[in-house]
Amino acid sequence: MAHTLESESRKLLGRLRDTMAEDAAGQARLDKITHLTADSMGTEVCSIYLFRDADTLELCATQGLNAAAVHQTRMKLGEGLVGRVARSGKTVNAADAPSEPGFRFMPETGEEIYSSFLGVPIQRLGEKLGVLVVQSKQARQFSDDEIYALEVVAMVLAEMTELGAFVGEGAAMEKRHTQAVLFRGSTGQEGATMGHVWLHEPRVVVTNLVADDPETELTRLQEAVDRLRVSVDQMLAGASIGEGDQVEVLEAYRMFANSKGWLRRMEEDIGRGLSAEAAVEKEQSQTRARMSQVTDGYLRERLHDLDDLSNRLLRILTGQGRETGSEMPENPILVARNIGPGDLLDYNRKLRGVVLEEGSVGSHAVIVARALAIPLIINAERITNEALNGDQILVDGDQGIVHLRPDDTVVNAFRDKLAMQAKAQERYSSIREAECVSADGQRIHLLMNAGLMADLPSLTSSGAEGVGLFRTELQFLVRNKMPKRTELAEIYARVLDAAGGKRVVFRTLDIGSDKVLPYMKPTEEPNPALGWRAIRVALDRPGVMRMQLQALIRAANGRPLTLMFPFIAQYEEFIHARAELEKVMAREQKLGHTVPERVEIGTMLETPSLAYAPQRFFDEVEFVSIGGNDLKQFFFAADRENERVRRRYDTLNQSFLSFLRLVVERCETSNTPLSFCGEDAGRPVEALCLAAMGIRTLSMRPASIGPVKSLLMRYRLSEIRDVIEEAFARGEQSVRGPVMDYLRDNS
């Protein structure tokens, strides 16, 4: 019986292939497919519904329903049984369709005489394209074999839709990858740019869906799987023992590559008439569909592993490697599902921007993009399914918006925005060398954040007075193994050389939470942002900290050195961290190495608790830098990686500004220099308010220095302070409105 079913399946696929090969218009092909499918399934009706937009399905072809309803019948996502299949991505098999929840008659189709209903989604790699339906007058439940047969037809439809086989009149049959598409994501790095798509992993195109010789295809699949297993074993053998995350991923790869169930399902698909490539992609599409329903983060990552493994297998079968022979387009903007810091750095400064389907505001890719000073958008869902190499793309990192293949009106408006920004940058260049002094004579120091050698030229071009934060973790994140002390010393020495005597604040290693080193064993924590991270890791495992401190001391080679400990939550942690530095200094002197002429020791204030530390802390610490990004999430109990909550809370909220005023007062009492480091320091209005509250040193990305300096020099801080205090007195939740009103009235 199984052999008979496989034979019938191959016959249907063969007839579908012949239909595809005919020189016919897209509508004629769809009509022929509905006829073939209904005949093969023994049903009176077969209908194909395709999406005309993200929320609307359109009847595009039918055998058995009223022909006049084609391209006239439309339904919203979730409407009726067809809409239910489209929304859920799951099969609906109903013997008595009218009694099903949500059933809705479409009177113009004449379907009221049909009782049974079988609908399967038409989808490709997680992207929903439409719904394939068969109906019959007889009330019957369709068998698993019949469901499978319809799924195979739907898979062929999805592939041929991707290849443009059904192009015709109307929105539902427009050629794919030609329409303008707007994606709304989240800002990873601000800025705006325009250019052309460069896919980090070009999609594999499968053109031979149907095969006549199952034995040949089974042999091809087995040989490809054997090659895949060997390559995974080689990768695992090449990973060093300490590469915890990497080894875990590769072990998952090996588990999937050796999965009998995974291979069996693909072999069954080949037995029913699919080519080896089509069998792999069918299994991959079904995995993607399952993945979209999974909420468990760990399981989603493992399903991603299987997805990546399928791509590797497809590349072996088709010979389509990552290197497609295409040349990187002019002004390339990288589009990827996700990307590691090392891969992103490999592009150097060729990229104009980056757009990711996934990612988080604290991810490694975002950290590198900030260091490269290029706009980055994360969580742009489905963009890798839609974009093609060379497509025009506009990236608005300020708004978290991506325009793919935009029309001329959007392009012209975007060019106007870029021209205005360029004009503003010219204006800022005229004040680059000027000291930042407010209209009432208050001096504000503007510093830049950095993390790579490539950042240092911005010290001159931006007008920054120094580096308020040098993120030392980047040198650890972009490697597959722990960097050597000599390597770090050379890097830090080059940083100090490039700074040309300007002050550089080196933050010691800030790992944990969202910054997990690929070669350190990860720790499972329910709340990693509140867990074992930064100075806590350093004090519990002081070996790495001592190695880094030695590298910094040797890099200084007698020059002044400024160090800052991250995530200090209480005075005791500062004491222990400082004691570690003193031990390292004493050892370096004993070894005969030149020590810095002076070491300035500060901390980042990222937890509210440190503001209430004993007075001795403020008397002993040599400077304090408010880490605004982390401080805000802890102050408001709002995870900065959670888009639902992180934007609910305003930096200019009265409670937050009142807390900052407390920090200012404590530092003033002990005459401790205070700075603010974080995204808000680079936002002109926020920077103006921070300066008015008494924080006179701000550290930000280089591109923000010009706009911030321009605004600070135009207004009297005393008057801004009065506006803030008056808003406090009125009990206003945020001072943003009153400050903006003042700026408008006094522009």
Side-chain angles (χ1 to χ4, degrees):
M1 182 67 179
H3 178 73
T4 302
L5 288 169
E6 290 180 5
S7 178
E8 289 300 316
S9 179
R10 285 200 297 275
K11 285 180 183 178
L12 173 58
L13 284 171
R15 294 167 75 187
L16 286 173
R17 179 186 57 196
D18 294 341
T19 298
M20 297 302 152
E22 293 175 1
D23 186 12
Q27 185 65 57
R29 283 193 174 117
L30 281 182
D31 293 341
K32 187 75 175 287
I33 289 170
T34 58
H35 175 76
L36 288 174
T37 306
D39 183 56
S40 176
M41 298 282 293
T43 59
E44 291 92 343
V45 174
C46 176
S47 304
I48 296 171
Y49 298 82
L50 298 176
F51 279 103
R52 60 178 285 113
D53 59 47
D55 299 311
T56 311
L57 288 154
E58 181 177 303
L59 176 63
C60 290
T62 187
Q63 168 72 28
L65 298 184
N66 187 352
V70 173
H71 298 305
Q72 302 303 313
T73 295
R74 294 169 188 168
M75 60 194 70
K76 292 294 183 183
L77 197 65
E79 184 180 5
L81 297 187
V82 173
R84 193 168 110 196
V85 173
R87 168 168 282 174
S88 68
K90 296 179 180 178
T91 296
V92 171
N93 182 7
D96 182 15
S99 66
E100 284 289 307
F103 177 82
R104 181 185 168 211
F105 274 125
M106 296 293 183
E108 71 275 15
T109 66
E111 66 176 339
E112 62 272 13
I113 62 174
Y114 302 107
S115 179
S116 59
F117 174 100
L118 174 61
V120 300
I122 302 170
Q123 55 192 359
R124 181 180 185 273
L125 302 182
E127 183 181 13
K128 296 172 183 176
L129 303 174
V131 178
L132 176 61
V133 174
V134 291
Q135 296 169 273
S136 65
K137 294 177 182 177
Q138 178 189 0
R140 67 188 180 96
Q141 198 85 17
F142 289 92
S143 69
D144 289 343
D145 291 311
E146 288 172 316
I147 294 171
Y148 179 88
L150 201 62
E151 287 176 342
V152 169
V153 176
M155 185 259 184
V156 172
L157 281 169
E159 290 300 324
M160 300 313 293
T161 299
E162 175 71 15
L163 293 170
F166 307 122
V167 175
E169 294 184 9
M173 294 179 65
E174 285 183 349
K175 187 175 181 181
R176 290 176 55 74
H177 309 299
T178 57
Q179 304 99 329
V181 188
L182 172 68
F183 296 91
R184 295 188 182 277
S186 306
T187 297
Q189 165 74 359
E190 295 166 343
T193 189
M194 62 190 302
H196 298 89
V197 168
W198 181 249
L199 291 168
H200 181 56
E201 288 192 335
R203 67 170 54 84
V204 177
V205 179
V206 177
T207 55
N208 59 320
L209 300 169
V210 183
D212 293 321
D213 186 351
E215 291 303 320
T216 299
E217 295 304 303
L218 286 170
T219 300
R220 291 181 63 232
L221 177 67
Q222 187 59 62
E223 289 176 350
V225 169
D226 288 343
R227 285 179 58 189
L228 178 69
R229 289 170 176 167
V230 169
S231 68
V232 171
D233 287 343
Q234 288 173 341
M235 286 189 293
L236 195 53
S240 65
I241 294 174
E243 296 173 342
D245 270 359
Q246 184 181 348
V247 170
E248 183 181 345
V249 169
L250 293 177
E251 286 286 10
Y253 273 22
R254 184 153 67 180
M255 178 186 72
F256 288 133
N258 288 279
S259 167
K260 293 180 180 178
W262 183 54
L263 184 59
R264 186 189 69 250
R265 288 190 295 271
M266 293 187 289
E267 289 173 341
E268 289 173 352
D269 291 332
I270 289 173
R272 288 178 165 93
L274 292 182
S275 68
E277 292 93 328
V280 173
E281 190 151 290
K282 180 175 180 292
E283 175 67 15
Q284 185 181 11
S285 288
Q286 292 183 336
T287 300
R288 284 272 189 103
R290 291 195 300 271
M291 184 172 64
S292 66
Q293 308 296 321
V294 171
T295 57
D296 181 78
Y298 178 82
L299 189 54
R300 281 181 70 93
E301 284 304 312
R302 299 290 72 80
L303 288 170
H304 277 322
D305 294 340
L306 184 53
D307 196 26
D308 290 337
L309 204 64
S310 299
N311 284 332
R312 289 174 182 268
L313 189 55
L314 281 172
R315 293 186 192 285
I316 293 171
L317 284 165
T318 63
Q320 299 173 33
R322 290 188 181 182
E323 298 298 327
T324 62
S326 300
E327 289 189 12
M328 186 177 284
E330 184 181 0
N331 300 328
I333 292 175
L334 189 73
V335 173
R337 194 181 77 192
N338 215 333
I339 189 170
D343 284 340
L344 187 52
L345 279 172
D346 283 344
Y347 287 100
N348 292 315
R349 293 191 173 268
K350 297 175 185 174
L351 303 176
R352 297 289 295 271
V354 179
V355 181
L356 301 178
E357 277 193 6
E358 301 175 358
S360 64
V361 293
S363 69
H364 303 167
V366 172
I367 294 167
V368 173
R370 287 174 181 164
L372 295 173
I374 54 176
L376 181 143
I377 289 179
I378 56 177
N379 303 322
E381 294 182 7
R382 293 182 51 255
I383 192 166
T384 58
N385 286 337
E386 187 62 49
L388 295 177
N389 274 339
D391 281 344
Q392 186 174 30
I393 184 171
L394 315 180
V395 177
D396 188 339
D398 302 319
Q399 303 296 321
I401 291 174
V402 180
H403 298 274
L404 183 66
R405 298 184 291 269
D407 60 34
D408 290 344
T409 304
V410 174
V411 171
N412 291 334
F414 202 81
R415 281 195 176 121
D416 289 343
K417 175 177 180 172
L418 293 179
M420 289 176 62
Q421 290 182 343
K423 190 173 181 180
Q425 287 297 333
E426 289 178 15
R427 186 172 71 249
Y428 303 145
S429 66
S430 66
I431 59 173
R432 182 185 302 147
E433 303 303 325
E435 288 188 345
C436 184
V437 179
S438 67
D440 55 353
Q442 300 297 314
R443 178 77 164 91
I444 304 103
H445 299 278
L446 303 182
L447 311 175
M448 60 171 268
N449 300 331
L452 298 167
M453 276 299 301
D455 296 327
L456 272 300
S458 297
L459 258 177
T460 302
S461 61
S462 68
E465 299 174 50
V467 178
L469 167 65
F470 190 90
R471 304 181 183 92
T472 61
E473 58 271 11
L474 283 180
Q475 284 73 42
F476 289 79
L477 289 171
V478 299
R479 286 171 164 78
N480 288 323
K481 58 183 179 180
M482 182 75 72
K484 295 179 180 178
R485 181 175 51 206
T486 52
E487 293 175 331
L488 292 177
E490 290 172 2
I491 292 170
Y492 301 149
R494 291 204 303 272
V495 170
L496 291 170
D497 292 342
K502 291 184 177 179
R503 182 170 178 260
V504 178
V505 179
F506 290 97
R507 182 177 68 187
T508 59
L509 192 58
D510 185 4
I511 57 171
S513 183
D514 53 3
K515 297 191 283 279
V516 180
L517 301 184
Y519 41 84
M520 288 186 70
K521 186 176 181 180
T523 55
E524 293 296 328
E525 295 183 294
N527 294 297
L530 300 173
W532 197 56
R533 53 174 294 199
I535 200 65
R536 297 169 180 176
V537 176
L539 294 177
D540 289 351
R541 301 285 189 272
V544 175
M545 182 187 189
R546 290 169 186 162
M547 183 270 287
Q548 185 185 31
L549 291 174
Q550 288 170 345
L552 285 162
I553 290 167
R554 294 178 189 183
N557 195 27
R559 292 174 287 190
L561 179 64
T562 304
L563 300 176
M564 177 165 63
F565 296 121
F567 210 63
I568 296 290
Q570 59 180 354
Y571 175 43
E572 183 182 25
E573 290 170 333
F574 172 71
I575 293 173
H576 291 325
R578 185 179 60 186
E580 287 295 334
L581 174 60
E582 290 169 352
K583 289 177 188 175
V584 172
M585 284 278 287
R587 176 172 169 75
E588 288 297 291
Q589 282 183 311
K590 188 175 180 180
L591 291 173
H593 294 134
T594 304
V595 297
E597 66 178 52
R598 183 179 186 281
V599 179
E600 190 180 10
I601 308 171
T603 67
M604 291 205 85
L605 190 153
E606 299 166 271
T607 63
S609 63
L610 194 60
Y612 301 95
Q615 184 59 40
R616 287 183 60 188
F617 165 75
F618 289 96
D619 291 339
E620 293 175 16
V621 71
E622 294 180 82
F623 66 92
V624 171
S625 180
I626 296 171
N629 297 342
D630 260 336
L631 179 61
K632 270 175 63 178
Q633 79 166 338
F634 298 136
F635 186 84
F636 290 114
D639 184 355
R640 65 186 177 114
E641 306 226 7
N642 186 331
E643 290 298 313
R644 289 184 175 180
V645 299
R646 78 182 187 98
R647 295 185 181 276
R648 293 171 68 103
Y649 302 98
D650 189 357
T651 304
L652 303 186
N653 180 289
Q654 180 180 153
S655 58
F656 190 65
L657 289 181
S658 297
F659 177 79
L660 294 182
R661 180 168 57 186
L662 167 68
V663 177
V664 170
E665 290 170 352
R666 296 217 64 182
C667 287
E668 286 178 346
T669 299
S670 57
N671 200 29
T672 303
L674 175 67
S675 63
F676 188 101
C677 175
E679 293 175 14
D680 290 314
R683 296 183 174 126
V685 174
E686 282 84 339
L688 182 65
C689 293
L690 292 172
M693 294 297 292
I695 303 173
R696 301 299 164 80
T697 299
L698 306 172
S699 190
M700 64 202 73
R701 66 188 183 108
S704 297
I705 290 176
V708 167
K709 183 186 285 190
S710 177
L711 191 68
L712 286 170
M713 293 174 72
R714 284 162 48 199
Y715 292 95
R716 301 174 65 85
L717 295 185
S718 58
E719 293 181 4
I720 301 297
R721 176 70 179 238
D722 290 343
V723 172
I724 292 172
E725 293 297 343
E726 289 167 8
F728 279 14
R730 292 193 300 270
E732 298 201 24
Q733 178 171 300
S734 172
V735 306
R736 187 175 298 278
V739 170
M740 293 300 296
D741 290 342
Y742 173 86
L743 297 180
R744 277 190 292 267
D745 294 342
N746 294 273
S747 59

